[in-house]
Amino acid sequence: MASPQQTTVTVAFGESLEPYVIPQLEAGIELDIIRAALKCRQYEMKPVFLSQKRLPQALADRKIDAVATIVPESGAKGAYSDVYISYEDKAITLTQRRLAIHRIADLAGYSVSAFPLAGQYLGAEFAALAAKHPDYHETGNQIDQNRLLYRGSVDVVVADHRIFNYMNKRMQTDFGETPLPVSYHDIFIKLPYRVLFRQPALRDVFNQGLKQIQQNGEYQRILKRYS
């Protein structure tokens, strides 16, 4: 059981994935959702930031109570919460080119830039295509993906639509660069993520808070804040 004296929950996040996780601000979609869900149950959240690879093992550190952005398939043991966020990856192209992309196989005829480890996250069909595609690459710099597309260096970008849109805003505000109109092709499944808790009682508290913010509108306000 969760200790009745415990009021702070230490949650491990990946180092950076704007706008979901913005370490320098201790904010972002995921942090704000988890913070709000815990706060409405009278708990405070303390974030810590680790490399993405360390997240599945984060609960080995007894100071950490929970791990964000994780799936049961990771093999990490503990109490998994309800789904609190889903990433929505799209194939993104320049609207002016009018490319016909209706399924994953259609990507074979185009140069593709994807996010790191996309093959592991987007299913077996995409992994097989990426492995044999002569003009496929991955980049960890998300804003570079946008630039590659706008400059015509690649035909297709594979990215979460919220991340892509957020990087468009950064291009304008930080670098004075103007994005072009794009088309989104829905050819991938959504990726649902959960929070992994050490204690089932804290997991239950979070699930209750998550339902509360979904019902009172706070959840949608958080999403809108970063749209």
Side-chain angles (χ1 to χ4, degrees):
M1 292 291 291
S3 165
Q5 289 80 34
Q6 181 174 358
T7 57
T8 301
V9 180
T10 301
V11 183
F13 294 87
E15 286 174 320
S16 182
L17 198 59
E18 301 177 16
Y20 291 97
V21 179
I22 311 173
Q24 63 270 28
L25 301 178
E26 293 196 353
I29 295 171
E30 293 193 48
L31 279 86
D32 291 4
I33 287 172
I34 295 171
R35 182 182 286 117
L38 289 170
K39 186 175 182 179
C40 71
R41 309 305 294 181
Q42 284 72 57
Y43 286 80
E44 296 296 319
M45 184 190 78
K46 176 185 176 184
V48 296
F49 301 98
L50 307 174
S51 69
Q52 214 71 33
K53 290 180 180 179
R54 287 182 60 197
L55 284 182
Q57 291 81 42
L59 288 186
D61 182 345
R62 301 296 297 182
K63 296 176 184 175
I64 293 175
D65 302 304
V67 185
T69 330
I70 200 160
V71 294
E73 290 79 8
S74 69
K77 303 299 183 186
Y80 283 90
S81 76
D82 294 337
V83 172
Y84 72 99
I85 192 69
S86 290
Y87 283 31
E88 299 179 33
D89 293 293
K90 317 279 187 184
I92 306 170
T93 63
L94 292 178
T95 301
Q96 65 191 25
R97 297 194 58 196
R98 299 180 181 178
L99 301 186
I101 297 174
H102 305 292
R103 57 191 189 278
I104 290 173
D106 292 337
L107 297 176
Y110 302 107
S111 57
V112 179
S113 173
F115 60 90
L117 303 178
Q120 292 184 25
Y121 285 102
L122 295 179
E125 183 183 0
F126 183 78
L129 181 141
K132 63 185 180 184
H133 197 306
D135 204 355
Y136 171 88
H137 72 272
E138 299 176 354
T139 176
N141 187 332
Q142 301 269 182
I143 204 166
D144 275 356
Q145 276 195 309
N146 297 46
R147 287 178 171 142
L148 288 169
L149 185 64
Y150 297 136
R151 292 171 184 170
S153 300
V154 295
D155 299 317
V156 184
V157 158
V158 174
D160 173 84
H161 72 104
R162 292 191 186 100
I163 295 174
F164 188 87
N165 288 336
Y166 189 83
M167 292 305 160
N168 272 347
K169 289 185 177 180
R170 281 200 56 202
M171 283 178 63
Q172 294 173 288
T173 58
D174 297 359
F175 304 102
E177 301 174 26
T178 304
L180 298 173
V182 297
S183 298
Y184 295 98
H185 308 270
D186 294 319
I187 60 174
F188 302 110
I189 58 169
K190 291 182 180 180
L191 299 176
Y193 288 103
R194 303 171 188 268
V195 184
L196 176 65
F197 287 87
R198 183 184 305 282
Q199 300 178 20
L202 271 181
R203 183 268 316 277
D204 295 343
V205 163
F206 173 77
N207 282 345
Q208 292 163 6
L210 179 61
K211 285 189 177 69
Q212 190 170 332
I213 65 170
Q214 288 170 333
Q215 291 168 356
N216 67 18
E218 178 63 17
Y219 187 95
Q220 286 303 318
R221 285 192 289 273
I222 291 169
L223 292 181
K224 190 173 182 180
R225 194 180 302 155
Y226 294 94
S227 65

